[in-house]
Amino acid sequence: PHVALAGKDTPPAKQPTATGKDGGAATVDALGTQAAIDTLRRGGNAVDAAVAAAGVLGVVEPFSCGIGGGGFMVIRTRKGDVTTIDSRELSPRAMRPDSFMENGAPLPFNDARYSGLSAGVPGTVETWAEALEKFGTMSLAEVLAPAIHVARHGYVIDQVWFDQVNANRDWFDDIPATAALFLDPDGSPRDVGTVFTNPALAKTYERIAHLGAKGFYRGAVADALVETVRHPVVSPTANHTWRSGVIKMRDLHTYAAPERAPTHVNYRGLDVYSMGPPSSGGATVGEALNILEGYDLGSMTREAALHYYLEASRYSFADRNAYLADPAYFDVPVSGLLSKAYAATRRALIARPRPMPPRRQRCRSASSSRDRFATRRCDQTCENCRLAPAPVDATRESAQRRCRGSRR
């Protein structure tokens, strides 16, 4: 969202393109980007800047970033070496295959989601500390200073923030601490244009800045995290059931964020590195690029190039669903998926662009049962109709267990 520091007349401007020299940064939020740029100007390197930006995003993007979750970091050193850090959340040791089931049936999604059961063991703070220690030049106290400032002094709420809170209001008002933070006394989200502060998060960041990762994984913060997950404090007027989670202090004490080898493909002379399993991103994108490399995209019309792009993505995502999982539990054939020879076999299955023939399908805009099935082209004559892509046969059964969740 477009946000601004309270007390500043002009917020940092978001722009789609920036031109400069000596370094750059890009995030989803202007304040996060500014924290990274300021860190670089103070003499920090790219890793220092990345952690500074991530800390600010944890304040201003509470629905997609933060120290309660995890992620991945891809790092290229000055010498050209590339490595990655895997800080994906882990399932607690007590989590079992049937933890999200009751009476032999899976819980409805929201019943499982809004509960202690959905909380994984967070990895973000461990990655910040590890990345700075191995590859950074600044301390946690230095890089977290911008985030602490924003959390304490606040930022201006925009429409996106309001809408995100409003979509969760029916659950947020069940939890008194969450309601006090995100909702006004009347139960509505805090108003657009008002200043949002998070003093508790500022104190937590200060503790991490002072004590390092142990300030999060041990002591007062860890105690509060485990207690909240295992015994959610719910309002007497709550209209949902909040199930207890299974995280224990041992899960926090033993969390580790391992370094992993990156994925690598060469696309038209360019080296492309990304995150390997348990992330599915590097293998999926790399396979799609390998497939696309066999086409002279520059000589095609935009429509034809998009056809091959979509088909390459379709096949690489089918392989993602069939093969990608947590390498601690499954032998993921990354080298095979990223081989040029395998890409050639997938490319051979892709047909040339051609006009779509009429297809018999259900018409969602039909007014009666008589005309719900019609033979029609999927064009603007039926705005609600969608042609489903032809299924791609997977060559291996999808992995069912993904302890680090290969979904990013």
Side-chain angles (χ1 to χ4, degrees):
H2 185 84
V3 294
L5 277 174
K8 283 197 172 183
D9 295 331
T10 305
K14 292 184 71 172
Q15 57 190 77
T17 304
T19 303
K21 61 180 182 177
D22 301 327
T27 78
V28 71
D29 185 86
L31 292 178
T33 302
Q34 190 63 54
I37 294 298
D38 290 345
T39 300
L40 293 174
R41 287 173 174 162
R42 293 200 308 270
N45 66 12
V47 171
D48 301 323
V51 177
V56 172
L57 294 178
V59 181
V60 301
E61 291 281 334
F63 288 87
S64 57
C65 302
I67 56 178
F72 304 111
M73 184 178 284
V74 181
I75 300 168
R76 183 184 184 274
T77 68
R78 183 182 294 271
K79 296 180 179 179
D81 299 324
V82 181
T83 187
T84 74
I85 301 177
D86 171 12
S87 63
R88 196 73 164 98
E89 305 92 329
L90 284 172
S91 298
R93 293 173 182 269
M95 184 66 75
R96 303 191 58 79
D98 60 353
S99 291
F100 288 108
M101 300 187 71
E102 284 186 3
N103 302 318
L107 288 169
F109 177 72
N110 279 336
D111 288 358
R113 175 189 180 195
Y114 295 97
S115 74
L117 283 172
S118 65
V121 185
T124 294
V125 173
E126 177 63 24
T127 291
W128 290 353
E130 183 177 335
L132 290 175
E133 180 180 355
K134 293 182 177 180
F135 306 103
T137 65
M138 293 182 167
S139 67
L140 269 171
E142 291 175 295
V143 300
L144 288 181
I148 293 170
H149 180 82
V150 176
R152 176 170 291 115
H153 295 281
Y155 58 94
V156 178
I157 293 172
D158 67 358
Q159 189 63 47
V160 173
W161 190 100
F162 179 93
D163 292 342
Q164 289 174 327
V165 173
N166 197 45
N168 290 276
R169 179 173 57 173
D170 191 38
W171 289 271
F172 278 13
D173 61 13
D174 285 354
I175 308 298
T178 304
L181 184 63
F182 290 101
L183 304 179
D184 281 333
D186 66 356
S188 65
R190 297 192 180 277
D191 295 332
V192 173
T194 60
V195 175
F196 178 83
T197 62
N198 195 335
L201 182 56
K203 291 180 181 178
T204 301
Y205 274 168
E206 286 177 332
R207 178 179 171 85
I208 296 168
H210 177 63
L211 298 173
K214 67 180 182 181
F216 180 80
Y217 291 99
R218 296 175 182 271
V221 172
D223 290 340
L225 190 157
V226 171
E227 178 64 20
T228 300
V229 169
R230 297 183 68 88
H231 306 289
V233 177
V234 181
S235 169
T237 60
N239 60 335
H240 303 95
T241 299
W242 291 76
R243 293 163 176 81
S244 298
V246 295
I247 286 181
K248 296 181 180 180
M249 196 64 69
R250 182 188 178 194
D251 294 310
L252 298 177
H253 291 176
T254 59
Y255 184 89
E259 269 193 77
R260 299 189 187 275
T263 61
H264 172 240
V265 297
N266 185 280
Y267 180 72
R268 305 183 195 275
L270 301 174
D271 289 311
V272 182
Y273 295 93
S274 190
M275 190 72 208
S279 170
S280 64
T284 305
V285 173
E287 182 185 339
L289 290 175
N290 283 340
I291 294 172
L292 286 172
E293 194 173 32
Y295 300 110
D296 184 8
L297 299 176
S299 67
M300 299 178 184
T301 65
R302 176 174 174 79
E303 291 77 13
L306 285 174
H307 165 78
Y308 287 115
Y309 162 74
L310 292 171
E311 287 295 292
S313 300
R314 186 162 70 103
Y315 279 91
S316 64
F317 269 87
D319 288 333
R320 166 192 183 272
N321 293 341
Y323 290 107
L324 271 296
D326 189 337
Y329 294 86
F330 293 91
D331 182 16
V332 183
V334 176
S335 60
L337 290 170
L338 294 181
S339 72
K340 300 294 186 181
Y342 184 69
T345 66
R346 296 310 248 166
R347 191 183 308 118
L349 300 175
I350 298 176
R352 296 178 60 184
R354 63 185 186 277
M356 292 297 293
R359 185 176 297 188
R360 183 176 176 83
Q361 66 177 60
R362 181 185 178 93
C363 177
R364 295 175 189 167
S365 63
S367 58
S368 69
S369 60
R370 288 185 57 190
D371 55 3
R372 281 185 181 172
F373 288 91
T375 300
R376 62 169 72 212
R377 295 183 185 276
C378 188
D379 55 23
Q380 294 181 355
T381 61
C382 183
E383 183 178 340
N384 296 319
C385 291
R386 296 292 182 268
L387 286 177
V392 178
D393 291 332
T395 54
R396 181 170 168 181
E397 190 174 310
S398 295
Q400 297 300 314
R401 241 177 117 182
R402 292 178 170 86
C403 289
R404 283 181 183 259
S406 28
R407 289 295 185 188
R408 292 188 179 182

